Amino acid sequence: MRRPWVVLGLVLVVAACTGPVRSFPVYESKAGDTAEVVASAVETARLAVDAARDNKAHGRYLTQVLVEAEEDAGSAQGTFDGIQPPDRQADELRDRLDELLTEATGTLAELRIAARRGELAELPKLAAPLTEVAEGLHAFAEDHA
Amino acid sequence: MKRLFSVALGILTAIGGFVDIGDIVANSETGARFGMSLAWVVVVGVIGICLFAEMAGRVATVSGRAVFDLVRERLGARVALVNLVASFFITFLTLAAEIGGVALAIELATSVNYLLWVPIVAFCVWLVIWRVKFEVMENAFGLLGLTLVVAAVALWRLGPDWGGLLHGATHPVVPQGEGHPTWWFFAIALLGAAMTPYEVFFFSSGAVEEGWSRADLITNRLNVYIGFPLGGLLSLVLMAGATLFLEPRGIQPGHLSQVALPTVLVLGKLGLAVLLIGFFAATFGAALETGLSCGYSIAQYFGFQWGKFVRPAQAPRFHLVVLVSVLAGAGLILTTLDPITVTEYSIVLSAAALPLTYFPILVVANDPDYMGDKVNSRFTNALGSLYLLVLVVVAVATIPLMVLTKAGS
Amino acid sequence: MAGRILEAGLHLLDRQLIDKDGRLAGKVDDLELEFPSGGGPPTVTAILAGPGALSRRIGGRFGAWLEAVANRLRDGDDQHPARVSFAVVKGIDSAIDLSVPKRELETNRLEAWTRDHLIGKLPGAGDAPD
């Protein structure tokens, strides 16, 4: 009766593991996945700002959405930055992605701060850079995921 | 007139009670990733659960005993034990997921961290099971769950390209850039969410709790054949909302707040408020059902007195199992495991356990000793057997696919 | 009740026990048989119920675990599984009807303990379902 549990345990461990990255293609795909996750967070924030602009949501809901978006983006960036790039080519990729990620997390933080303060009218202006960032992340993800 | 009212109530309760946190998460995530291309899985799942729920309800109505109760008599202690272990484990995991879901819904409404709500939710779930009359409990949360219809209202108000949605649903094609294994993995998860085992034995035990008799056979069929498909339709509404708002932007909903976005963007603050009531009712109702099901399954295997139709003091071990299950479920969520992740695992593992939980129902429903002249028709048996075959294939494929796709990432 | 020949596996084992008041009193986990000294088929003298009886039938690792749990839960040093004398069996149908109320059965020990020490202490335990 014990075998299935061992298998299940192994499965859960494998599903969670990231492990060291030794080759560029694997690193590239992880970079692409990270871009996808952050893109999702950025797009969520953009939708939330649309809702704010059209007065369709309370500050409370908006704050929640923006906080979660910031957390998701931040944790994705943190995980990605923790991966050792295997070679020079990976270094370049990392620099390019990090530029996008830093701008994304920075803007999301500003949005979160404004929402928490109840400055909902400021949100559309603060979210302006997100359009380009989103495009950049989507393009990056398509090229590399 | 009174008859009509009670039938209508039963159907409405079945609709409102159909969706739980598993359906919310599965349909939203699938719509955001694969559009409507997996809508057919929900249809398959709904037909499956209608088939087996009707059987389980019929067994309880005709024999006066719940399906699980009879499994051990029919299939022997060992086979029934395997069934019990699988069913109990899955139901417990689902219970934990539902408790997490309630806490998340309240967090969304109050902005107070969900972890703080977990103990309160667990206490309330237990208290309602302890004190509130079965029918009142079922009707209240079933009807309140109907508020999820607001998502359908939002969809209708939006006036989307219905043709496009229908085309997506009727042409199950793996979208560009996505892998086939992942598509199938999501299909399995969706099936697990639609056919969660607890729904069937809860339905059966519930029939005994409410004292159904032969006269209620028709009510049983109506509740199932009208209520469940309409509930399934609500699931598809969530999928459509995600398809229209989240998929085009590449948003993967990992939070309830994102699941709510489509409704918020169309119906605004009022829409969100109603949706949150719906989320709360759906998850709280499911927490009650899974909590009770944990008790039903253990008590019915070992033969101790179970049910809310007797004084709690007359079914002490049953109530103890329920109490411990709710506490342990809350404990699991308090380990700060993401409730959405717990939900995802619960639906996938449900899919893997489906044959174990459904096979005994088919056997018992065919037994003339219990069913008299109300045994399964040949058509029901044919369809039921076909489903079991499909479920075995699904069960076998689940773990390999989970490993292959890294749990759908 | 004397003298009925039954297929023990089909008609007795794993059946629900229902007491005089219609309450559920456990399942037939095992049977106590008496083999007559002069040879011939055995007679069923008692029904055995409870985790101790079930563990022996299940066998394997789970059975051993269940037996260990049962031994912990048993008070005193009586090592035998709870016994329901066949004399109190009133009828054998899809369930086994007994002629006595639950509380007079050995099998009720654990249930009574749980009620007295745990569930019974919670407010509202004795309230009738309205």
Side-chain angles (χ1 to χ4, degrees):
Chain A
M1 267 295 255
R2 236 192 331 180
R3 288 263 173 84
W5 299 112
V6 174
V7 172
L8 191 62
L10 277 174
V11 160
L12 293 174
V13 168
V14 165
C17 265
T18 34
V21 173
R22 304 228 181 273
S23 69
F24 181 75
V26 179
Y27 188 80
E28 189 186 12
S29 101
K30 283 200 193 290
D33 290 342
T34 305
E36 269 179 13
V37 171
V38 180
S40 165
V42 167
E43 293 285 12
T44 303
R46 289 178 71 200
L47 273 185
V49 171
D50 285 348
R53 189 193 55 222
D54 301 334
N55 197 26
K56 283 216 144 91
H58 302 290
R60 218 172 22 212
Y61 172 76
L62 292 168
T63 309
Q64 177 112 9
V65 176
L66 292 168
V67 164
E68 285 167 353
E70 189 193 352
E71 273 170 13
D72 288 347
S75 102
Q77 182 174 29
T79 308
F80 176 69
D81 283 347
I83 304 175
Q84 177 77 355
D87 53 29
R88 284 267 174 264
Q89 203 186 0
D91 278 346
E92 279 174 38
L93 197 70
R94 180 193 156 101
D95 290 338
R96 274 202 294 131
L97 183 59
D98 259 339
E99 223 186 285
L100 287 166
L101 294 184
T102 310
E103 180 151 17
T105 48
T107 314
L108 289 174
E110 285 177 16
L111 285 168
R112 180 254 307 165
I113 292 169
R116 271 237 169 88
R117 287 193 185 140
E119 296 165 0
L120 301 184
E122 296 289 304
L123 293 178
K125 194 175 61 180
L126 290 170
L130 286 184
T131 320
E132 243 188 83
V133 171
E135 261 173 58
L137 285 168
H138 283 308
F140 189 98
E142 259 205 60
D143 292 338
H144 301 289
Chain B
M1 195 60 226
K2 189 170 178 222
R3 188 87 187 153
L4 203 64
F5 176 75
S6 88
V7 168
L9 187 64
I11 294 178
L12 290 173
T13 308
I15 302 175
F18 187 82
V19 172
D20 69 356
I21 190 71
D23 297 301
I24 294 172
V25 167
N27 282 278
S28 193
E29 289 187 356
T30 305
R33 190 98 175 244
F34 298 103
M36 297 300 282
S37 65
L38 286 170
W40 61 273
V41 179
V42 177
V43 175
V44 169
V46 168
I47 294 176
I49 197 163
C50 280
L51 192 66
F52 285 91
E54 189 276 328
M55 258 187 251
R58 183 168 18 105
V59 168
T61 308
V62 170
S63 70
R65 297 174 58 196
V67 152
F68 219 101
D69 203 347
L70 299 173
V71 167
R72 190 173 150 185
E73 274 175 38
R74 237 312 122 246
L75 294 172
R78 277 210 196 96
V79 174
L81 185 65
V82 175
N83 180 347
L84 172 69
V85 169
S87 307
F88 182 81
F89 175 66
I90 299 295
T91 304
F92 169 73
L93 205 59
T94 310
L95 170 63
E98 305 293 349
I99 292 177
V102 180
L104 287 177
I106 304 180
E107 178 191 58
L108 201 49
T110 60
S111 289
V112 173
N113 188 275
Y114 80 98
L115 286 171
L116 296 171
W117 292 111
V118 172
I120 302 174
V121 169
F123 177 70
C124 290
V125 167
W126 173 77
L127 193 65
V128 171
I129 293 179
W130 181 252
R131 298 255 14 163
V132 177
K133 189 174 175 203
F134 190 90
E135 273 132 335
V136 172
M137 189 184 84
E138 275 296 281
N139 292 338
F141 287 96
L143 289 177
L144 208 57
L146 280 176
T147 48
L148 280 177
V149 160
V150 72
V153 172
L155 201 65
W156 173 71
R157 268 286 284 270
L158 177 68
D161 174 16
W162 293 108
L165 280 176
L166 202 60
H167 181 91
T170 49
H171 291 78
V173 175
V174 183
Q176 271 282 34
E178 293 283 8
H180 276 70
T182 316
W183 193 74
W184 284 110
F185 181 71
F186 270 74
I188 289 179
L190 212 48
L191 190 68
M195 290 183 80
T196 32
Y198 81 84
E199 296 201 39
V200 176
F201 28 91
F202 179 80
F203 193 68
S204 182
S205 304
V208 177
E209 292 269 21
E210 295 189 355
W212 284 8
S213 64
R214 277 190 174 233
D216 297 300
L217 271 177
I218 306 222
T219 317
N220 173 45
R221 290 216 171 100
L222 286 175
N223 283 1
V224 170
Y225 291 144
I226 304 183
F228 286 20
L230 288 177
L233 204 60
L234 268 180
S235 298
L236 286 175
V237 163
L238 289 173
M239 190 189 281
T243 305
L244 293 167
F245 285 87
L246 306 182
E247 196 201 6
R249 297 181 174 85
I251 296 178
Q252 258 306 297
H255 303 276
L256 265 189
S257 60
Q258 287 166 306
V259 175
L261 270 173
T263 305
V264 170
L265 288 165
V266 179
L267 294 177
K269 298 174 188 173
L270 187 60
L272 177 65
V274 176
L275 189 69
L276 287 177
I277 296 175
F279 280 168
F280 173 79
T283 48
F284 198 93
L288 296 171
E289 295 186 359
T290 44
L292 279 168
S293 296
C294 284
Y296 290 147
S297 50
I298 300 257
Q300 287 168 12
Y301 176 81
F302 286 105
F304 15 107
Q305 181 67 52
W306 54 270
K308 282 176 57 61
F309 54 90
V310 294
R311 290 170 212 265
Q314 287 167 326
R317 279 179 293 181
F318 165 73
H319 279 281
L320 184 65
V321 172
V322 171
L323 178 61
V324 170
S325 303
V326 170
L327 285 175
L332 185 65
I333 299 296
L334 285 172
T335 60
T336 71
L337 265 171
D338 184 2
I340 304 282
T341 309
V342 174
T343 306
E344 290 167 353
Y345 274 100
S346 79
I347 58 185
V348 171
L349 293 175
S350 282
L354 283 172
L356 283 176
T357 43
Y358 276 56
F359 169 67
I361 302 171
L362 193 61
V363 172
V364 171
N366 271 304
D367 194 315
D369 278 345
Y370 306 124
M371 305 299 289
D373 59 335
K374 296 288 177 197
V375 287
N376 280 356
S377 69
R378 233 177 292 181
F379 174 71
T380 309
N381 276 334
L383 199 55
S385 308
L386 181 65
Y387 260 87
L388 274 179
L389 203 63
V390 170
L391 294 180
V392 168
V393 172
V394 165
V396 166
T398 303
I399 304 288
L401 269 181
M402 183 152 76
V403 177
L404 190 66
T405 63
K406 295 224 185 74
S409 59
Chain C
M1 211 59 279
R4 251 179 86 183
I5 297 181
L6 296 168
E7 176 66 70
L10 283 182
H11 292 157
L12 283 179
L13 280 179
D14 297 315
R15 294 269 160 175
Q16 180 77 56
L17 297 167
I18 301 186
D19 82 350
K20 187 169 147 219
D21 306 313
R23 299 269 173 258
L24 306 176
K27 300 230 166 170
V28 177
D29 292 322
D30 211 345
L31 295 169
E32 187 187 84
L33 301 172
E34 194 180 277
F35 288 83
S37 45
T43 49
V44 181
T45 46
I47 291 170
L48 303 173
L54 188 59
S55 58
R56 288 174 206 182
R57 273 221 301 139
I58 301 273
R61 223 169 277 152
F62 185 83
W65 176 80
L66 197 56
E67 174 106 35
V69 170
N71 285 335
R72 284 279 192 82
L73 294 171
R74 235 171 259 148
D75 47 5
D77 28 34
D78 46 351
Q79 285 297 305
H80 67 88
R83 194 176 171 278
V84 176
S85 163
F86 218 75
V88 303
V89 172
K90 192 171 64 178
I92 299 177
D93 192 7
S94 79
I96 313 266
D97 297 307
L98 304 175
S99 58
V100 296
K102 230 162 85 162
R103 60 175 175 278
E104 292 179 19
L105 297 172
E106 264 181 40
T107 53
N108 204 45
R109 264 180 320 201
L110 197 53
E111 190 87 330
W113 187 92
T114 312
R115 179 180 50 243
D116 298 336
H117 292 88
L118 294 171
I119 298 297
K121 299 234 156 122
L122 297 168
D127 291 355
D130 16 47

